[in-house]
Amino acid sequence: MILKQSLLKFLKIGAIPLLLTTVALRQIALVHFAGLSPWHGGGFGMFASIDRDERRVVTTQLVDCAQTWDFVLPKIMADSPGVIRDETYTHVSTFPTEFELRRLGQGLLSGETENPIAELYGTNRDKSCDSELRLQSWRLVYDGDSIAYEPIAEPVEVQP
């Protein structure tokens, strides 16, 4: 009976604060160590950050033996609607894991949709050369003196 009462008392007084603390610490850890936007995963810190979804950028760089082409995905999406779904881009820029960046890169190189990167890759590729597509996610940071973009993680390289 005493054990039941103490368990009930813990559930009433301690369980909810413990759960909320766990959610908050998880979100803070994901923001600092996994690149999650502070506006997601619980939203703690969203009012103290300029790192929002629409300010994040995923850049791509197509490297061939003869040449390197740089692309910014929001520009490609504006120039060629339907290449990447808005939801896909938002998901990748909000939580840019290596797996998601690699999957996006493979989709860009596949040529399944009308795609400027796949077209450029297909027409200008030297068949004897190993080419790759590098994707990197960037976030906007304010350090007190200036506002600039910084990479969230190392570039992800995708082979066709």
Side-chain angles (χ1 to χ4, degrees), residues 68-141:
T68 299
W69 297 275
D70 292 315
F71 303 96
V72 179
L73 289 183
K75 171 120 174 61
I76 292 173
M77 292 169 61
D79 292 346
S80 304
V83 170
I84 304 169
R85 291 190 357 231
D86 290 337
E87 298 84 22
T88 302
Y89 181 76
T90 300
H91 178 72
V92 170
S93 64
T94 300
F95 197 38
T97 62
E98 182 178 344
F99 174 77
E100 291 297 332
L101 287 169
R102 189 171 308 284
R103 191 170 83 170
L104 177 63
Q106 289 169 347
L108 288 171
L109 290 175
S110 69
E112 294 172 2
T113 61
E114 190 174 318
N115 189 324
I117 293 177
E119 288 174 15
L120 179 63
Y121 183 78
T123 58
N124 293 327
R125 190 176 83 152
D126 179 4
K127 303 290 186 208
S128 65
C129 177
D130 289 334
S131 302
E132 64 186 16
L133 182 67
R134 293 184 193 142
L135 289 94
Q136 190 168 26
S137 185
W138 299 74
R139 70 173 146 221
L140 196 61
V141 294

Side-chain angles (χ1 to χ4, degrees), residues 10-82:
F10 170 74
L11 290 175
K12 285 182 178 178
I13 297 172
I16 292 175
L18 182 63
L19 178 64
L20 292 175
T21 302
T22 303
V23 169
L25 291 175
R26 178 184 176 273
Q27 197 270 346
I28 291 169
L30 288 174
V31 166
H32 289 286
F33 300 113
L36 177 68
S37 170
W39 288 75
H40 294 275
F44 300 98
M46 66 187 222
F47 297 111
S49 172
I50 62 171
D51 180 18
R52 296 186 58 167
D53 299 346
E54 61 270 8
R55 293 186 182 122
R56 286 192 169 198
V57 176
V58 177
T59 60
T60 61
Q61 186 179 56
L62 181 62
V63 179
D64 205 336
C65 290
Q67 193 171 356
T68 299
W69 297 275
D70 292 315
F71 303 96
V72 179
L73 289 183
K75 171 120 174 61
I76 292 173
M77 292 169 61
D79 292 346
S80 304

